């Protein structure tokens, strides 16, 4: 399998944790279609931990918990596929998953066969209970080989939280995406911490192997499995904008049956999604000239345009944030400038920006613009 742009979808964990079942998956899939999320690009429906019985069946095979999934996993895959979407599931490289369900250690080939027979398209493979006598690169390679042996295209979503020198081997073992940090929580501190911790690692992220900053918490509003205070709309906006600028996979974590209004619009923003899905996958240039809480980011896109993000990390002050074009090498002689699209409204701004992009940004918020270089005179 190769994945040329960051996978997008929805995952059960952030909101539902252990409380998952067949109706939830079907209703969520339907909601994604009805609310335009599928058509915005969210493709994978991923069942995280806690889907199987606590013990394997008498033959040692995985089995969906009949009280949660009475018709089994294939039934759901068929349903998800009938909607033009793809099915994801979860296991761990140890003997158990994080929540104590059976993991795939020493059962890789049988489990991969189970996934393929159930027409799974995406496997999130966790790090819990990993045996100490085997290295991460071996454990993940083992499952990747087993997936390959099935002959089915299955996206391999590595989830080892950046441990065991992950960056050194992730491309070699064939991870399509890799969780680079511990788990996200539904608050601004967690979002900011994860993003800042990965800026220097983004040059490794690229087509077929994406740095996964973890599932989105936008719209969780402090309810659900990873609730931890919740965020304001501006904070959720910063979260989404930064994940798009970093070209992280976009896995929605809120209850898609209930999401609406400005958060739904944010999750579907086509200008931000286009940045996330840009085929060039170039890393960011970060700019924090004054060393204060105003940061700007520039990213070169495949068609030669640039994405600019202006983030105000101040807790209480609305501030003007800017990025000088001299930083990205533009001669400031009045001959060239950027024609900008405001990624909030989608509108192209009349004025040409010749020396810098700037905006007034609310506390904890982010503004994103997409610029095309134009001759001024
Ligand atoms: C780990 C992962 C999470 C989630 C849980 C499930 O903590 O990092 O994303 O999959 O396990 O138990």
């Amino acid at each position: 399998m190769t994945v040329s742009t960051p996978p997008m979808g929805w995952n059960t964990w952030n909101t539902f944790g252990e409380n998952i079942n067949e109706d939830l998956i079907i209703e969520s899939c339907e909601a994604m279609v009805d609310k335009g999320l599928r058509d915005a690009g969210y493709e994978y429906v991923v069942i995280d931990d806690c889907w199987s019985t606590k013990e394997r069946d008498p033959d040692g095979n995985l089995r969906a918990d009949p009280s949660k999934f009475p018709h089994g996993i294939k039934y759901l895959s068929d349903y998800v596929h009938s909607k033009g979407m793809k099915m994801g599931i979860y296991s761990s490289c140890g003997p158990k998953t994080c929540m104590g369900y059976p993991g795939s250690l020493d059962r890789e080939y049988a489990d991969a066969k189970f996934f393929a027979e159930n027409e799974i398209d995406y496997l999130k493979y966790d790090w819990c209970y990993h045996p100490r006598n085997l290295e991460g690169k071996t454990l993940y390679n083992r499952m990747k080989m087993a997936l390959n042996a099935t002959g089915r295209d299955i996206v391999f979503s590595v989830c080892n939280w950046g441990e065991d020198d992950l960056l050194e081997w992730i491309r070699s073992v064939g991870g399509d995406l890799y969780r680079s940090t511990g788990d996200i929580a539904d608050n601004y501190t967690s979002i900011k911490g994860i993003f800042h911790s990965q800026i220097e690692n983004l040059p490794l992220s690229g087509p077929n192997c994406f740095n996964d900053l973890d599932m989105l918490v936008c719209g969780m509003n402090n309810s659900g499995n990873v609730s931890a205070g919740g965020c304001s709309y501006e904070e959720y906006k910063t979260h989404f904008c930064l994940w798009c600028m970093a070209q992280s996979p976009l896995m929605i974590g809120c209850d898609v049956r209930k999401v609406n209004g400005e958060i739904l619009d944010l999750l579907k923003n086509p200008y931000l999604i286009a940045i996330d899905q840009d085929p060039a996958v170039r890393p960011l240039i970060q700019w924090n000239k004054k060393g204060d809480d105003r940061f700007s980011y520039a990213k070169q896109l495949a068609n030669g345009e640039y994405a600019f993000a202006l983030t105000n990390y101040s807790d209480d002050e609305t501030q003007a944030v800017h990025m000088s074009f001299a930083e990205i090498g533009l001669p400031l002689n009045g001959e060239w400038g950027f024609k900008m699209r405001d990624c909030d409204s989608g509108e192209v701004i009349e004025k040409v920006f010749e020396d810098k992009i700037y905006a007034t940004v609310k506390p904890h918020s982010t503004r994103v613009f997409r610029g095309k270089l134009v001759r001024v005179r």
Side-chain angles (χ1 to χ4, degrees):
M1 185 71 191
T2 53
V3 182
S4 55
T5 56
M8 296 171 63
W10 170 77
N11 175 301
T12 53
W13 181 253
N14 277 2
T15 294
F16 299 99
E18 205 164 5
N19 302 314
I20 51 176
N21 59 52
E22 185 176 292
D23 290 344
L24 171 71
I25 304 303
I26 289 178
E27 288 166 19
S28 299
C29 185
E30 259 169 19
M32 290 173 80
V33 175
D34 293 347
K35 295 184 177 186
L37 288 164
R38 176 195 64 185
D39 292 345
Y42 296 92
E43 187 179 18
Y44 294 94
V45 175
V46 183
I47 308 177
D48 208 284
D49 203 351
C50 312
W51 59 270
S52 73
T53 50
K54 279 270 167 92
E55 304 296 332
R56 288 172 177 270
D57 77 9
D59 298 326
N61 291 319
L62 290 171
R63 184 170 46 155
D65 182 339
S67 68
K68 294 175 180 168
F69 299 102
H71 298 94
I73 299 298
K74 170 78 165 49
Y75 173 82
L76 285 176
S77 296
D78 287 347
Y79 179 80
V80 166
H81 291 150
S82 78
K83 299 287 177 190
M85 297 168 82
K86 292 182 175 165
M87 190 74 207
I89 209 161
Y90 165 100
S91 186
S92 183
C93 65
K96 288 183 192 173
T97 72
C98 301
M99 293 292 284
Y101 292 77
S104 294
L105 181 68
D106 292 334
R107 311 268 184 169
E108 288 88 353
Y109 286 78
D111 290 359
K113 185 163 172 272
F114 174 92
F115 300 139
E117 283 171 357
N118 283 278
E119 300 199 10
I120 294 296
D121 307 296
Y122 176 112
L123 175 67
K124 174 172 171 183
Y125 203 48
D126 217 330
W127 183 236
C128 277
Y129 296 98
H130 64 93
R132 307 289 154 161
N133 60 335
L134 288 170
E135 291 182 78
K137 64 182 169 208
T138 309
L139 288 161
Y140 282 92
N141 219 16
R142 276 167 69 148
M143 182 47 104
K144 176 69 185 191
M145 277 198 279
L147 292 174
N148 283 343
T150 67
R152 185 175 173 84
D153 271 350
I154 299 177
V155 174
F156 193 34
S157 166
V158 169
C159 179
N160 94 325
W161 324 320
E163 293 187 4
D164 223 22
D165 300 322
L166 162 85
L167 300 178
E168 289 173 16
W169 47 261
I170 185 61
R171 283 192 164 267
S172 314
V173 305
D176 297 302
L177 58 159
Y178 55 95
R179 275 277 304 286
S180 46
T181 70
D183 290 10
I184 197 166
D186 182 17
N187 64 46
Y188 170 73
T189 309
S190 170
I191 290 165
K192 184 178 163 185
I194 288 178
F195 180 73
H196 280 151
S197 77
Q198 292 309 307
I199 283 277
E200 67 182 28
N201 294 333
L202 291 179
L204 192 74
S205 195
N208 308 322
C209 195
F210 295 96
N211 189 324
D212 176 1
L213 302 182
D214 206 355
M215 300 166 295
L216 299 167
V217 293
C218 300
M220 286 188 62
N221 303 322
N222 197 28
S223 65
N225 190 41
V226 301
S227 66
C231 296
S232 66
Y233 171 72
E234 301 303 334
E235 292 167 344
Y236 284 139
K237 186 174 172 224
T238 285
H239 175 27
F240 194 71
C241 290
L242 295 181
W243 263 230
C244 288
M245 288 296 286
Q247 297 198 257
S248 173
L250 298 176
M251 290 289 168
I252 297 173
C254 69
D255 185 343
V256 284
R257 299 169 307 177
K258 296 194 183 141
V259 70
N260 54 34
E262 58 189 2
I263 291 288
L264 180 60
D265 291 343
L266 176 68
L267 292 171
K268 295 200 300 185
N269 181 312
Y271 308 102
L272 296 173
I273 290 175
I275 295 168
D276 184 77
Q277 297 291 301
D278 188 76
V281 199
R282 296 196 191 285
L284 303 172
I285 295 168
Q286 177 175 264
W287 202 62
N288 174 225
K289 190 104 189 200
K290 298 232 159 64
D292 60 10
D293 43 21
R294 293 173 292 174
F295 281 65
S296 4
Y297 307 94
K299 178 188 193 72
Q300 193 185 144
L301 302 171
N303 67 353
E305 295 180 8
Y306 279 80
F308 299 101
L310 308 173
T311 302
N312 178 8
Y313 291 104
S314 163
D315 292 336
D316 41 32
E317 237 186 301
T318 294
Q319 302 189 90
V321 185
H322 73 272
M323 177 168 207
S324 162
F325 296 146
E327 293 298 320
I328 55 168
L330 187 74
L332 303 184
N333 56 11
E335 283 182 17
W336 297 91
F338 278 96
K339 194 85 182 150
M340 292 288 182
R341 187 187 293 280
D342 179 340
C343 291
D344 279 342
S345 64
E347 275 163 28
V348 176
I349 302 167
E350 203 46 53
K351 169 189 161 57
V352 173
F353 293 78
E354 291 181 29
D355 57 346
K356 60 179 182 292
I357 173 71
Y358 54 91
T360 305
V361 189
K362 291 181 193 162
H364 293 186
S365 193
T366 298
R367 300 285 308 276
V368 176
F369 299 86
R370 181 173 177 132
K372 182 181 170 64
L373 195 62
V374 292
R375 179 114 204 173
V376 179
R377 56 187 150 260

